Amino acid sequence: MERVGEIGLRRALGASRRQVAGQFLAESTTIGLLGGIVGAALGVLVVVSVAGVKQWTPVLDFRLALGAPVAGVLVGFLAGLYPSLRAARMEPADALRSPS
């Protein structure tokens, strides 16, 4: 709802409902992907660092580290689904009139 003006402007300039929904889904999915990558990298770094300090042998399952970005994409997609559909349903005139 913070971007009502932007949505209205895009729709007024000719963006279709599908394009608006696609933009919001792409943004939320990308944020989820980046979160999964950063989270997995930090997790591996912490495990290796702690194991090095304690002089342990780090044991990592890289399938989990590779699965984190996939999980991030899934969560980002699901989290962005409702807002993107709601944004796509906005009428341009109503969105441009709303106070932001």
Side-chain angles (χ1 to χ4, degrees):
M1 294 311 298
E2 296 171 3
R3 298 168 64 185
V4 170
E6 176 191 345
I7 296 164
L9 183 60
R10 283 186 44 108
R11 294 274 291 132
L13 291 175
S16 69
R17 293 178 189 272
R18 173 176 263 158
Q19 289 170 331
V20 171
Q23 174 190 349
F24 278 77
L25 274 177
E27 288 174 6
S28 65
T29 302
T30 301
I31 290 170
L33 173 65
L34 294 174
I37 291 170
V38 169
L42 287 175
V44 169
L45 182 67
V46 167
V47 167
V48 170
S49 298
V50 169
V53 167
K54 298 282 189 176
Q55 296 180 350
W56 296 339
T57 301
V59 177
L60 297 168
D61 186 356
F62 282 102
R63 290 176 295 181
L64 291 175
L66 295 175
V70 174
V73 165
L74 182 62
V75 169
F77 178 82
L78 292 175
L81 192 58
Y82 176 72
S84 69
L85 294 176
R86 188 169 174 194
R89 276 186 258 142
M90 283 186 168
E91 290 299 325
D94 296 334
L96 287 172
R97 259 184 273 167
S98 76
S100 297

